[in-house]
């Protein structure tokens, strides 16, 4: 039986203040008191999780639909890497 891909969750919207700064995004986390500067595609992945949890494939599907991205085969893997980066910053967590 194949392993179930992890479900990722973003914090409640009230916890984060998000400011777009040209090509970068500043994210202030009220819980930790830290401000993170994110480059694409991290803010887009965080936004894709805003309404509900998802696994990397579902996020890839959401981003592909929103940004008309063709899945080159490694999109899922790249999103999984980005989710791990966001988790290391404390901005997402596995359910």
């Amino acid at each position: 039986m194949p392993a179930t891909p992890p479900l990722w969750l973003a914090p409640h919207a009230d916890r984060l203040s998000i400011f777009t700064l040209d090509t970068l995004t500043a994210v202030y986390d009220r819980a930790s008191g830290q401000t993170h500067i994110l480059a694409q595609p991290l803010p887009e992945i965080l936004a894709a999780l805003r309404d509900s949890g998802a696994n990397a494939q579902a996020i890839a599907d959401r981003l592909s639909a929103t940004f008309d991205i063709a899945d080159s085969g490694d999109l899922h893997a790249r999103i999984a890497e980005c989710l791990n980066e966001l988790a290391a910053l404390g901005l997402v967590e596995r359910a």
Side-chain angles (χ1 to χ4, degrees):
M1 180 176 208
T4 303
L7 181 69
W8 294 88
L9 301 170
H12 191 274
D14 292 345
R15 182 176 139 187
L16 303 178
S17 292
I18 300 173
F19 305 95
T20 301
L21 309 166
D22 197 21
T23 60
L24 299 174
T25 301
V27 178
Y28 175 68
D29 184 348
R30 288 182 180 86
S32 69
Q34 294 182 324
T35 300
H36 306 281
I37 305 297
L38 306 179
Q40 292 179 334
L42 297 179
E44 291 78 9
I45 292 170
L46 192 57
L49 288 171
R50 190 171 297 140
D51 295 329
S52 65
N55 61 36
Q57 185 59 55
I59 294 168
D61 293 344
R62 290 176 189 175
L63 293 179
S64 293
T66 303
F67 296 102
D68 196 27
I69 302 169
D71 189 347
S72 62
D74 64 350
L75 180 61
H76 177 268
R78 176 66 181 124
I79 288 173
E81 290 173 16
C82 291
L83 286 164
N84 286 322
E85 290 177 43
L86 289 167
L89 296 172
L91 296 176
V92 299
E93 62 183 29
R94 287 181 185 214

